[in-house]
């Protein structure tokens, strides 16, 4: 098989169309995660504190770490009589919409491109966010329905982005480009958690939704004006960069018009990604949704008093994603490590590392500083997975990467729906021993996923993913 020399001569990075796409999609996922997590902060101010007091589950194993600070703050936002179970339904309803549009989103993106799908997914989520205060006034049911609709909009975004990168990312730049792109999600969490708290403090909770909703609409306008589905349709790309991208992807893309569903679903490398994605998200969602609860009710440390501290784990993960993306592609391009070796090693570090520190965090008792340190290290090391199983879809079937991500993310959304419920059922008394069980289960699932992926993953394009059954092997 002839390999064109341009594949190995990279087009300049500065001002390139592919890196412009990476940075604009970075801000897109920044907006998406801001829209996703802002409710968890605003909900504290939306709920009548007397209702919350009835559901107090604070454990007294650990000494009080921080006294409540009496401060003057804006109290003009309307309050609602929602108990803990109702709040759980409101926060969880997002996933019921999110899980539905994963596979359809991947399929549509693979057929008609991801630009409009991703753009309108973000726009829809942003517009629905603007209506959150109105829905809350209508009642619990209206707010749950609205959050589910937001989930429907966000559900298409990751598969659509994967589908776009199948046409834009040269194989030896995949880790860099995709880690930049998806790292926006972590930075969105870092910024929106403390910023939402500040907005609630100085204004009121309604402005949280107005602010982030408007930011989403502004991003949509930029996205539609500046981005194209493929290098061929981009208006300002240089001929050299276009040729570099197209030649590097030669023999990796399929010309089949129909999706090979049966061979795809029989593919063990796909199920290796499914298991890894499910396992990783079990730990990720357990920490994302229950870490503040553990800190407040068990360690009796109110993490909301310090916005920077609550953001540190996600800031660490963001930095790790960016740096690991650079490292992964350097290992492949300069040191000739195989794609499979890089994906395996980065997945092992990004799953077993967090498992170790998660278990350690559960067994250090009431040591607050060590607990914060271990949980931060656990979340940070998870960033290695962005250059591991997270982008392996593009290695094994670039033409169907959006569909594959839709399949794996469908399974990986289930932990967000059931993980926190199971953790709550295992911690009726909120003792440290009960939380040790929660952390050990999450760690065991993580380790199993890492081992399964290591045994059955592949690093080259699979035969079913190319029409002539001749793949470019990395």
């Amino acid at each position: 098989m002839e390999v064109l020399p341009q594949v190995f001569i990279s087009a300049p990075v500065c001002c390139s169309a592919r890196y412009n796409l990476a940075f604009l999609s970075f801000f897109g996922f920044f907006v998406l995660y801001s829209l996703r997590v802002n409710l968890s902060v605003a909900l504290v101010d939306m709920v009548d504190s007397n209702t919350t007091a009835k559901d107090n589950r604070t454990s007294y194993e650990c000494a009080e770490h921080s006294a409540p600070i009496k401060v003057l703050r804006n109290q003009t936002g309307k309050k609602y009589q929602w108990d803990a179970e109702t709040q759980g339904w409101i926060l969880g309803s997002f996933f019921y919409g999110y899980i539905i549009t994963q596979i359809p989103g991947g399929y549509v993106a693979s057929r008609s491109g991801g630009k409009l799908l991703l753009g309108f997914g973000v726009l829809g989520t942003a517009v629905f966010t603007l209506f959150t205060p109105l829905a809350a006034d209508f009642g619990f049911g209206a707010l749950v329905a609205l959050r589910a609709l937001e989930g429907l909009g966000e559900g298409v975004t990751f598969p659509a982005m994967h589908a776009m990168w199948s046409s834009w990312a040269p194989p030896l730049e995949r880790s860099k480009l995709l880690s930049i792109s998806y790292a926006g999600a972590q930075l969105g969490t870092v910024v929106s958690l403390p910023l939402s708290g500040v907005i609630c403090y100085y204004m009121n909770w309604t402005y949280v939704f107005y602010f982030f909703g408007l930011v989403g609409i502004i991003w949509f306008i930029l996205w539609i004006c500046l981005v194209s589905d493929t290098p061929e349709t981009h208006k300002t790309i240089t001929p050299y960069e276009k040729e570099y991208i197209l030649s590097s992807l030669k023999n990796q893309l399929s010309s089949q018009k129909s999706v090979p569903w049966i061979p795809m679903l029989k593919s063990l490398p796909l199920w290796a990604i499914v298991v890894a994605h499910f396992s990783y998200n079990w730990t990720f969602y357990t920490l994302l949704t229950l870490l503040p609860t553990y800190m407040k009710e068990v360690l009796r440390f109110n993490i909301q008093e310090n916005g920077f501290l609550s953001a540190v784990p996600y800031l660490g993960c963001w930095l790790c994603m960016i740096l690991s993306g650079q490292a992964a592609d350097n290992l492949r391009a300069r040191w000739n490590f195989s794609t499979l070796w890089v994906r395996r090693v980065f997945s092992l570090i990004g799953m077993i590392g967090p498992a170790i520190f998660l278990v350690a965090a559960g067994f250090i008792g009431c040591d607050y500083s060590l607990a914060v340190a271990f949980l931060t290290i656990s979340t940070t090391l998870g960033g290695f997975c962005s250059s591991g199983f997270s982008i392996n879809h593009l290695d094994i079937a670039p033409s169907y990467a959006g569909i594959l991500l839709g399949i794996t993310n469908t399974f990986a959304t289930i932990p967000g729906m059931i993980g926190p419920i199971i953790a709550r059922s295992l911690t009726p008394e909120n003792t440290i021993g009960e939380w040790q069980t929660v952390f050990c289960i999450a760690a065991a699932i993580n380790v199993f996923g890492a081992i399964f992926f290591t045994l059955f993953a592949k690093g080259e394009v699979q035969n079913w993913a190319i029409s002539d059954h001749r793949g470019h092997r990395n």
Side-chain angles (χ1 to χ4, degrees):
M1 181 187 68
E2 182 184 2
V3 179
L4 298 180
Q6 290 96 322
V7 172
F8 302 102
I9 305 173
S10 173
V13 169
C14 182
C15 302
S16 64
R18 66 193 189 281
Y19 276 87
N20 287 343
L21 173 62
F23 286 114
L24 200 54
S25 58
F26 170 92
F27 286 110
F29 286 102
F30 176 97
V31 170
L32 273 176
Y33 266 65
S34 298
L35 295 170
R36 184 189 292 199
V37 305
N38 58 16
L39 180 63
S40 62
V41 178
L43 196 61
V44 176
D45 265 17
M46 294 169 71
V47 176
D48 189 332
S49 58
N50 293 327
T51 308
T52 310
K54 297 173 187 174
D55 298 306
N56 185 19
R57 300 170 72 242
T58 302
S59 166
Y60 294 97
E61 275 188 281
C62 297
E64 180 69 50
H65 181 61
S66 54
I69 303 170
K70 300 291 184 182
V71 289
L72 295 173
R73 57 179 297 166
N74 192 303
Q75 298 285 355
T76 57
K78 191 172 180 181
K79 303 289 186 180
Y80 302 96
Q81 304 291 324
W82 293 333
D83 60 18
E85 184 179 354
T86 302
Q87 293 175 52
W89 276 104
I90 292 169
L91 291 171
S93 56
F94 171 88
F95 293 106
Y96 292 94
Y98 188 70
I99 197 171
I100 292 171
T101 49
Q102 294 291 327
I103 296 175
Y107 179 77
V108 172
S110 71
R111 314 314 286 172
S112 56
K115 172 187 171 178
L116 291 179
L117 190 63
L118 195 155
F120 281 106
V122 176
L123 178 66
T125 306
V127 170
F128 286 132
T129 298
L130 291 172
F131 286 101
T132 302
L134 185 63
D137 265 348
F138 274 106
F140 156 72
L143 186 55
V144 166
L146 187 79
R147 286 290 290 178
L149 288 173
E150 288 182 34
L152 286 174
E154 280 204 30
V156 303
T157 54
F158 280 94
M161 192 71 251
H162 249 47
M164 287 187 72
W165 281 125
S166 70
S167 299
W168 274 99
L172 292 179
E173 293 185 17
R174 277 179 187 153
S175 303
K176 293 177 187 173
L177 290 167
L178 272 78
S179 62
I180 292 171
S181 181
Y182 294 135
Q186 303 301 326
L187 194 64
T189 305
V190 168
V191 173
S192 65
L193 285 174
L195 182 57
S196 296
V198 168
I199 294 172
C200 286
Y201 184 87
Y202 287 106
M203 302 168 77
N204 70 52
W205 62 264
T206 60
Y207 291 97
V208 170
F209 303 108
Y210 297 147
F211 175 77
F212 288 111
L214 287 173
V215 170
I217 292 171
I218 293 168
W219 175 87
F220 169 78
I221 295 169
L222 294 173
W223 178 259
I224 292 299
C225 294
L226 299 176
V227 166
S228 297
D229 273 311
T230 63
E232 295 98 318
T233 57
H234 198 281
K235 295 176 183 176
T236 60
I237 190 173
T238 64
Y240 183 75
E241 184 185 7
K242 184 194 294 186
E243 179 59 27
Y244 163 64
I245 294 172
L246 296 178
S247 62
S248 71
L249 293 172
K250 190 177 181 182
N251 297 320
Q252 290 222 341
L253 300 179
S254 171
S255 58
Q256 295 181 92
K257 292 185 178 180
S258 60
V259 178
W261 290 106
I262 301 301
M264 180 186 292
L265 294 175
K266 287 182 177 179
S267 174
L268 192 55
L270 168 61
W271 290 103
I273 305 173
V274 168
V275 172
H277 204 166
F278 177 95
S279 303
Y280 174 83
N281 272 19
W282 188 284
T283 300
F284 177 79
Y285 283 128
T286 297
L287 284 180
L288 186 67
T289 55
L290 295 179
L291 181 57
T293 301
Y294 178 73
M295 300 292 279
K296 182 180 180 181
E297 297 180 358
V298 180
L299 296 181
R300 301 178 72 193
F301 179 95
N302 191 353
I303 203 167
Q304 288 179 338
E305 290 177 10
N306 190 328
F308 175 74
L309 186 61
S310 66
V312 163
Y314 303 103
L315 181 62
C317 188
W318 171 69
L319 286 170
C320 187
M321 287 177 73
I322 299 292
L323 295 175
S324 66
Q326 300 293 317
D329 279 344
N330 282 333
L331 286 170
R332 296 165 68 217
R334 295 186 182 181
W335 298 92
N336 290 323
F337 282 94
S338 71
T339 301
L340 180 58
W341 186 90
V342 170
R343 301 293 180 245
R344 281 174 170 171
V345 169
F346 278 61
S347 295
L348 284 169
I349 296 172
M351 296 180 76
I352 292 181
I356 292 170
F357 283 97
L358 190 60
V359 171
F363 281 88
I364 56 170
C366 296
D367 191 323
Y368 313 102
S369 55
L370 265 183
V372 173
F374 284 170
L375 291 169
T376 298
I377 294 169
S378 179
T379 306
T380 299
L381 288 176
F384 276 94
C385 287
S386 66
S387 296
F389 73 83
S390 290
I391 59 173
N392 192 224
H393 318 73
L394 281 157
D395 300 321
I396 66 172
S399 293
Y400 307 107
I403 296 175
L404 296 191
L405 183 65
I407 292 170
T408 66
N409 214 16
T410 297
F411 285 96
T413 301
I414 295 171
M417 299 164 70
I418 66 171
I421 296 172
I422 292 174
R424 279 286 191 182
S425 68
L426 290 172
T427 55
E429 303 299 326
N430 259 342
T431 64
I432 290 177
E434 290 172 346
W435 278 95
Q436 286 172 354
T437 303
V438 171
F439 290 155
C440 285
I441 289 172
I445 292 172
N446 239 22
V447 171
F448 172 76
I451 294 171
F452 193 93
F453 181 80
T454 301
L455 292 175
F456 300 112
K458 296 293 182 184
E460 67 275 349
V461 180
Q462 299 300 289
N463 285 335
W464 54 264
I466 41 179
S467 54
D468 60 359
H469 290 251
R470 287 185 293 110
H472 173 74
R473 307 287 173 176
N474 286 332

